[in-house]
């Protein structure tokens, strides 16, 4: 009995020792303490980790000192040495005896975070529960903050971080995107900033306005930027302007819909394609929807030569080029895909670009000159093509008459060919019809408008307005694929909106297949599908609302 008890006490003590040891691992102490691979610091809440990572790349031994969330080492939200990868695993982070915190490694200059002005003896660096890595002087009564990672952000914005300026210290907080999704160098094309004059968020491409949030409407939304779409977390925006500082920040709180493991945390990542993405709701703003001379959803028109009309924009397409000038392959490793698009946009001979996707970096591109014909190519490579969305609107009468004559004489022949083709391809034809103007670029579907098939594509703003931001009062019920809400369009029509939950596992292809399936069922005695809405990863189906129909008919769970 006694030895058994002793063993139990021993185990208990061992557990306590280990547990307290693990809890202590959020702090780096001055002096002999240091951090090197594979050791890490973990915040007390277990959510954030500071350590060395190869960004998920197996081929390269290069390492970066970073802080990541939820074990995602491939894209840390903060990087200490984004422009200076360490060639091996020789990196060491330490606070030396005089109080300087630096990262040293073999074969390169140290990265210095803080150099002490006076010799201090009790300095610690703590990875806090907010994800902030803070260097403090423990001797000073107020635990004075000497340096913090939140003051030198990379490409990700966390609750509690600031964007804007401190007039007193000259500190200017902004984000800078990675160059590509694989290369974190500070040579990225995009910045995310707080415009202190206009009191709005802006994305700039190489210093030029690319997207703006529009003015702040309330503590939860800007004109073109809102994140409170009925998800499990609520966001609130803070805008402060005083003698010292002019800044924006945001807070997250879990609401009553949050599941047990849901955290009151989210972060906004500025991607290398110029989008700002909230990682909890996956909502994206800017980025590929700003594709030329469109000025919707906060996009700024691109500056360029007069040959680029107001209707020109880049679209992802498969097809063939007729080259009048040989293509130019540019492997320049400083060119992001968005830089390539900008270069092409500014040269009137250029009709499109193809990113070079399979090199180590996802940088560089192919420029095409001549003309482009849409079609399905064997390997289905997608190109960014400059298309003219408004050519029909600009046609004059003579052309319309000439075209009509041509159309009438060609219709017979084409009709015959098409009929045979349709017969052969069956349902695939409808699929092609849908993919043709949607391709991979779901963002093309952002704006309200009829795209040829009889399904309407609604903007997220329209759906938000119609359903009162997916308010609880508008909720009709819950299907296996997601909740269904009632809404009213500006023209008074009543609709039912089915929000496909992300956990339904529906990708874009499945979504399109469902659309096709439902479109095919239209003639049957079912609720009519009016259209859809795609916002980032969120997909919604819009049905005609019929009060007498049972809820089941809106849900289509089979
Ligand atoms: C990475 O390190 C391993 C072991 O040290 C070595 O064998 C390999 O050649 C290195 N790879 C590169 C790309 O340097
Ligand atoms: C991270 O990984 C460790 C070890 O695999 C695990 O114990 C921990 O729960 C993970 N943390 C999160 C937040 O997923
Ligand atoms: C450092 O400061 C902490 C908090 O003020 C104090 O508890 C600790 O004793 C100090 N350590 C040394 C070596 O001065
Ligand atoms: C702050 O930095 C950003 C990015 O470099 C720059 O565009 C902006 O003009 C700066 N703001 C001020 C007030 O210096
Ligand atoms: C946001 O504004 C609303 C109404 O103006 C107010 O009731 C609410 O307390 C505010 N929330 C925060 C976090 O400031
Ligand atoms: C933003 O801050 C300024 C200055 O503090 C204030 O005048 C303005 O009303 C704020 N705007 C919003 C939408 O809260
Ligand atoms: C999250 O909630 C916990 C307790 O509910 C609180 O202590 C913590 O500060 C919150 N974190 C953030 C980032 O709001
Ligand atoms: C690569 O592109 C960058 C950015 O456009 C440019 O500054 C640089 O001169 C280019 N390098 C070469 C070798 O063309
Ligand atoms: C990848 O980028 C690094 C710099 O970040 C550069 O040294 C290297 O040449 C690039 N590789 C390719 C294949 O472009
Ligand atoms: C456009 O690109 C073509 C082909 O590379 C080149 O010959 C021409 O000089 C470029 N035009 C301008 C204005 O840069």
């Amino acid at each position: 009995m006694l030895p058994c008890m002793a063993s139990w006490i021993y185990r208990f003590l061992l557990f306590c020792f280990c547990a307290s040891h693990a809890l202590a691992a959020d702090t780096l102490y001055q002096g002999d303490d240091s951090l090197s691979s594979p050791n890490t610091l973990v915040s007390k809440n277990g959510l954030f980790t500071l350590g060395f990572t190869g960004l998920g790349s197996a081929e390269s031994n290069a390492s970066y000192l970073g802080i990541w969330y939820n074990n995602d080492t491939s894209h840390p939200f903060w990087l200490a040495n984004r422009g200076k990868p360490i060639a091996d695993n020789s990196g060491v982070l330490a606070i030396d005896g005089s109080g300087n915190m630096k990262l040293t490694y073999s074969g390169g200059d140290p990265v210095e975070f803080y150099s002490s002005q006076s010799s201090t003896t009790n300095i610690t660096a703590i990875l806090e529960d907010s994800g902030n890595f803070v260097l403090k002087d423990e001797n000073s009564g107020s635990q004075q903050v000497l340096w913090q990672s939140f003051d030198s952000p990379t490409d990700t914005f966390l609750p509690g971080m600031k964007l804007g300026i401190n007039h007193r210290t000259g500190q200017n907080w902004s984000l800078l995107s990675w160059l590509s999704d694989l290369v974190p160098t500070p040579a990225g094309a995009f910045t995310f900033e707080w415009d202190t004059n206009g009191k709005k968020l802006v994305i700039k491409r190489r210093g030029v306005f690319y997207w703006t949030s529009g003015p702040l409407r309330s503590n939860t939304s800007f004109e073109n930027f809102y994140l409170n779409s009925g998800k499990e977390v609520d966001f609130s925006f803070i805008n402060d302007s005083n003698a010292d500082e002019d800044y924006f920040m945001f807070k997250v709180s879990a609401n009553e819909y949050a599941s047990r493991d849901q955290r009151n945390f989210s972060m906004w990542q500025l991607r290398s394609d110029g989008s700002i993405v909230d990682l909890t709701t996956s909502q994206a703003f800017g980025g590929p929807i700003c594709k030329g001379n469109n000025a919707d959803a906060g996009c700024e028109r691109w500056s360029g030569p007069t040959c680029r009309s107001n209707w020109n924009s880049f679209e992802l397409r498969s097809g063939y080029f007729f080259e009048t000038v040989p293509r130019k392959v540019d492997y320049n490793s400083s060119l992001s895909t968005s830089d390539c698009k900008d270069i092409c946009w500014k040269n009137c001979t250029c009709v499109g670009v193809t990113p070079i996707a399979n090199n180590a970096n996802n940088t560089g591109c192919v420029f095409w000159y001549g003309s482009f014909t849409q079609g399905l190519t064997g390997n289905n490579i997608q190109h960014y093509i400059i298309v003219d969305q408004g050519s029909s609107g600009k046609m004059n009468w003579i052309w319309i008459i000439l075209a009509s004559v041509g159309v009438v004489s060609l219709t017979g022949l084409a009709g015959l060919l098409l009929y045979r083709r349709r017969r052969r391809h069956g349902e695939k034809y409808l699929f092609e019809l849908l993919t043709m103007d949607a391709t991979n670029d779901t963002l093309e579907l952002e704006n309200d408008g009829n795209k040829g098939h009889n399904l309407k594509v609604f903007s997220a703003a329209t759906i938000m307005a119609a359903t009162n931001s997916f308010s609880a009062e508008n909720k009709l019920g819950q299907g296996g694929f997601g909740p269904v809400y009632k809404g009213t369009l500006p023209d008074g029509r009543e609709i039912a909106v089915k929000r496909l939950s992300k956990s339904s596992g529906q990708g874009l292809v499945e979504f399109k297949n469902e659309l096709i399936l439902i479109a095919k069922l239209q003639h049957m005695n079912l609720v009519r599908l009016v259209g859809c809405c795609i916002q980032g990863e969120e997909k919604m189906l819009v049905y005609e609302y019929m009060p007498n129909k049972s809820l089941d008919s809106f849900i289509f769970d089979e």
Side-chain angles (χ1 to χ4, degrees), residues 503-523:
S503 58
S504 74
Q506 271 204 336
L508 200 60
V509 172
E510 289 90 327
F511 181 61
K512 279 177 192 155
N513 283 335
E514 187 173 13
L515 279 179
I516 292 161
L517 185 73
I518 296 166
K520 280 197 298 185
L521 292 172
Q522 293 286 20
H523 66 282

Side-chain angles (χ1 to χ4, degrees), residues 325 328 346-347 349 369:
V325 177
K328 195 168 114 198
K346 291 186 170 134
N347 183 325
T349 329
Y369 309 97

Side-chain angles (χ1 to χ4, degrees), residues 164-165 172-174 191 193 196 204 207:
I165 35 180
N172 176 356
W173 299 280
S174 65
T191 53
E193 302 168 24
T196 52
K204 290 182 188 166

